[in-house]
Amino acid sequence: MPRILAALALALFLASPAAAAEPKIETDRTEINFGQIFQGETITRAFAFRNAGDAPLNIEQVKTSCGCTAALLSNSTLAPGESGEVSTTFDSTRFRGAVVKTIYLYSNDPKQRVIQLHLRGTVQELFRIMPEQFAFGPIPPEKSLEGKVTLTNQSGNPIRITAISTTAPEFTARAASMVLSPGQPVDILVTAIAKPGPARVTGYVMVKTDSSLSGEIRIPVYLAVTQP
C-alpha cells in the first residue's frame, strides 16, 4: 500500500503543470520630492525600475497627469533582471505653491498593470506682487488718481526692469527704481485718468525684466468712471 500511495503522489506531481513565467515590475521609490524651485524653472528627475520576474517586461504606455510634465523611457522592453528608468521633466511656469504630478506606467505585469510615480515639490513665485490687482475710482471724467503696486524680488539675485507699459490709454505706469534688489520692494506707480465714455476700463500694467524665469509680469488694473 505505501508503494502504491508513493507512486500515486509521484504521478500527481508529474501531471501538475509548471508555473507560467511572468514579468514583474519593481521600483525602489514611487515618489521624488524636488524641494523648492522658482516659478518658471524646469526640473528633470528619473525614476528607476526593474524586471524582477522571469519573463520579458513590456512598458505598454506612459501617461502624465498634465501637459506640464513629460516622461521619457530609457527602453520599453526589459529582460528578466534588467533595469530601466523613466525620465520626468516638469515645467513650473504656470504653477505656484505645493504641486504633485503623477506619471502612470502601464505594463504587462499581470499582478500590477499600472504603477503610479509621483513628482512633488513647491513652486515659489519669483516676485511677490502687492496687491495682485488694483482698482481706481469711481472718479468723474478728466480727473486722475495715482496708486502703487509693490514688487518684491524673492530670489537671491538682483533683477533689472527693462520696460513698463500699459494696455489701455487711461493708465500710465513707472517704477520708483529699475533695479529689484534681492528681498527689497520696489513701487510701480500707476496713474489712471478718467475719460468720457465707458463707465469701466480694464487693462494691465506690463513689466518686463531681464530674468529668464519671469517673462512678462501682468498686473490687472481697473478704473470706474462716474457718468453724468
Side-chain angles (χ1 to χ4, degrees), residues 116-133:
Q116 297 184 20
L117 308 172
H118 304 287
L119 196 61
R120 184 186 303 271
T122 303
V123 178
Q124 180 179 353
E125 291 177 293
L126 190 62
F127 300 105
R128 184 169 65 247
I129 305 172
M130 294 295 293
E132 294 186 343
Q133 57 185 18

Side-chain angles (χ1 to χ4, degrees), residues 118-161:
H118 304 287
L119 196 61
R120 184 186 303 271
T122 303
V123 178
Q124 180 179 353
E125 291 177 293
L126 190 62
F127 300 105
R128 184 169 65 247
I129 305 172
M130 294 295 293
E132 294 186 343
Q133 57 185 18
F134 200 92
F136 294 92
I139 58 174
E142 310 305 334
K143 297 296 183 179
S144 66
L145 286 176
E146 187 174 84
K148 68 179 182 180
V149 177
T150 301
L151 298 185
T152 303
N153 173 9
Q154 301 191 106
S155 77
N157 300 306
I159 297 173
R160 180 173 294 275
I161 296 173

Side-chain angles (χ1 to χ4, degrees), residues 1 16 57 60 64 93 96-97 99 103 108 115 121 125 127 138 147-148 150 176 179 184 191 208 217:
M1 182 64 71
S16 300
L57 174 71
E60 298 167 344
T64 59
T93 300
R96 64 179 178 179
V99 296
I103 302 92
N108 64 334
I115 63 170
E125 291 177 293
F127 300 105
K148 68 179 182 180
T150 301
V179 177
Q184 297 300 310
T191 301
K208 292 184 178 180
I217 304 167

Side-chain angles (χ1 to χ4, degrees), residues 37 40-43 66-70 89-95 101:
I37 61 174
E41 287 188 71
T42 298
I43 58 101
C66 79
C68 62
T69 310
T89 300
F90 167 61
D91 180 359
S92 68
T93 300
R94 297 183 293 108
F95 296 87
K101 298 302 168 186

Side-chain angles (χ1 to χ4, degrees), residues 5-6 26 53 117 133 149-150 174-175 204 206 209 220:
L5 291 176
E26 284 188 353
L117 308 172
Q133 57 185 18
V149 177
T150 301
R174 61 184 177 86
Y204 291 93
M206 316 290 285
T209 74

